[in-house]
Amino acid sequence: MQRRNFVKSTVGLAGAAVSGESVVGSRHSQLNFLAKNTFKLKYAPHFGMFENSAGKDLIDQLKFMADMGFTALEDNGMMAREPAMQTKIGEEMARLGMTMGVFVLEKGGNSQNTLAAGKPEFIEIFLNGCRKAVETAKRCNTKFTTVVPGDFERNLPIGIQTGHVIDALRRGTDILAPAGLTMVLEPLSDSPNLFLRTSDQTYEICRAVNSPSCKILFDIYHMQKNEGHIIPHIDWCWSEIGYFQIGDNPGRNEPTTGEINYKNIFKYVYKKQKAEGKDFIFGMEHGKSQKGKEGEVALIKAYVDSDSFTV
């Protein structure tokens, strides 16, 4: 049996269990559903998201993603992979016609070595991360790397901290811009200790850095938790947004499992980006609400549903 047919058959049977239909009665509809979808937006799964259906091999997982119609990938841990594997992933994505999204720029962790402190040793760790990121990006053929400035430096006034962050990021863009690599700054909800928390704060910093290599990573899950009012914030920050990430709230799982109306958000962004000739990647940085192959089928179904908006 061909690998593609095997994958569809296996996941189709899992889908029958999810829906509660008989295998015989649902097989045809499930296989049609799991044929290669034509998504309107570039949704980017992570490695491991379809491991139950595709196996542990990363290249097989890429092939499965492409079979399901996903046209992008993001891999937060790409910088930690062996250079040969980075190259192999990049080459396979090119063969499959997929786009590489973000990987995380290594600076010691989200809260560590904070740029808000203005300490030369912390800044040098960040700049070394930028240099390594350039080489990683060349191998896996991406234009984006995620940057989190770190925690507040609470013994300094907020304006001084902001100035320190801007100065460090400007030095980072001096390294990234010549290579065509963009750092996307991610405001997070994981801890109130993190310096970067809201989209408008990130907008202000990007405007001050004033480089096409410093933009906003608008993670809808985190922004729903920290500020809400998602579509207006997207609109206000639009000129500085470089990348989106997805996760429903509560739970940080696939769309349709929480309170966020992703169909409306996707429709809004799709129409706005089309009008302006932009083409964003939407990183699927979330878990699954169900386990096993059934959970993977449910995840795909959630994206098919959320992408079914009319324009």
Side-chain angles (χ1 to χ4, degrees), residues 53 76 88 104 146 157 220 223 228 260 291 306:
S53 299
N76 286 342
K88 188 175 182 180
V104 173
T146 303
I220 297 166
M223 293 305 90
I260 303 174
K291 296 180 179 180
S306 299

Side-chain angles (χ1 to χ4, degrees), residues 205-221:
I205 289 170
C206 287
R207 297 292 286 180
V209 174
N210 193 27
S211 169
S213 284
C214 182
K215 294 294 180 182
I216 300 169
L217 194 171
F218 196 106
D219 188 312
I220 297 166
Y221 163 77

Side-chain angles (χ1 to χ4, degrees), residues 107-127:
K107 57 169 280 295
N110 285 346
S111 64
Q112 302 302 307
N113 302 312
T114 178
L115 303 181
K119 294 182 179 180
E121 61 269 31
F122 292 173
I123 295 171
E124 191 54 37
I125 288 170
F126 165 64
L127 296 179

Side-chain angles (χ1 to χ4, degrees), residues 217-279:
L217 194 171
F218 196 106
D219 188 312
I220 297 166
Y221 163 77
H222 287 296
M223 293 305 90
Q224 174 70 2
K225 291 180 67 179
N226 281 356
E227 62 190 19
H229 214 40
I230 294 297
I231 288 177
H233 277 103
I234 289 173
D235 197 43
W236 293 327
C237 296
W238 182 259
S239 64
E240 297 301 323
I241 294 175
Y243 197 96
F244 287 92
Q245 283 181 332
I246 302 162
D248 216 337
N249 182 59
R252 198 173 182 176
N253 290 316
E254 70 269 18
T256 74
T257 58
E259 66 186 359
I260 303 174
N261 190 333
Y262 268 104
K263 185 179 288 187
N264 278 356
I265 294 171
F266 289 160
K267 179 178 180 178
Y268 182 82
V269 176
Y270 175 83
K271 291 176 72 174
K272 194 171 179 70
Q273 74 171 21
K274 190 172 183 181
E276 298 187 14
K278 295 185 176 182
D279 190 21

Side-chain angles (χ1 to χ4, degrees), residues 46-248:
H46 280 261
F47 288 124
M49 192 162 268
F50 300 111
E51 189 174 292
N52 292 287
S53 299
K56 294 186 180 297
D57 183 81
L58 300 186
I59 301 304
D60 284 345
Q61 291 182 40
L62 275 178
K63 292 174 181 176
F64 179 87
M65 294 172 195
D67 283 348
M68 296 299 102
F70 295 105
T71 55
L73 168 86
E74 66 175 31
D75 181 25
N76 286 342
M78 180 67 81
M79 282 189 73
R81 300 192 188 281
E82 291 295 325
M85 178 54 72
Q86 295 172 359
T87 300
K88 188 175 182 180
I89 290 168
E91 290 174 349
E92 182 62 19
M93 291 185 69
R95 189 188 71 80
L96 293 168
M98 298 177 72
T99 302
M100 178 64 197
V102 294
F103 61 84
V104 173
L105 186 145
E106 291 182 351
K107 57 169 280 295
N110 285 346
S111 64
Q112 302 302 307
N113 302 312
T114 178
L115 303 181
K119 294 182 179 180
E121 61 269 31
F122 292 173
I123 295 171
E124 191 54 37
I125 288 170
F126 165 64
L127 296 179
N128 280 334
C130 290
R131 297 180 189 104
K132 292 176 182 177
V134 167
E135 297 308 312
T136 298
K138 288 177 183 176
R139 288 189 284 266
C140 65
N141 193 28
T142 188
K143 299 182 183 299
F144 300 101
T145 183
T146 303
V147 170
V148 178
D151 279 352
F152 284 103
E153 185 71 11
R154 296 191 183 276
N155 64 341
L156 294 175
I158 188 64
I160 303 302
Q161 294 183 65
T162 301
H164 287 162
V165 171
I166 291 166
D167 287 345
L169 296 178
R170 284 176 175 169
R171 292 182 65 183
T173 62
D174 289 342
I175 297 169
L176 301 177
L181 185 57
T182 297
M183 71 172 93
V184 282
L185 306 180
E186 185 175 17
L188 296 170
S189 64
D190 296 329
S191 165
N193 291 320
L194 286 162
F195 172 82
L196 203 59
R197 299 275 295 164
T198 64
S199 61
D200 64 293
Q201 177 197 16
T202 316
Y203 174 90
E204 180 181 29
I205 289 170
C206 287
R207 297 292 286 180
V209 174
N210 193 27
S211 169
S213 284
C214 182
K215 294 294 180 182
I216 300 169
L217 194 171
F218 196 106
D219 188 312
I220 297 166
Y221 163 77
H222 287 296
M223 293 305 90
Q224 174 70 2
K225 291 180 67 179
N226 281 356
E227 62 190 19
H229 214 40
I230 294 297
I231 288 177
H233 277 103
I234 289 173
D235 197 43
W236 293 327
C237 296
W238 182 259
S239 64
E240 297 301 323
I241 294 175
Y243 197 96
F244 287 92
Q245 283 181 332
I246 302 162
D248 216 337

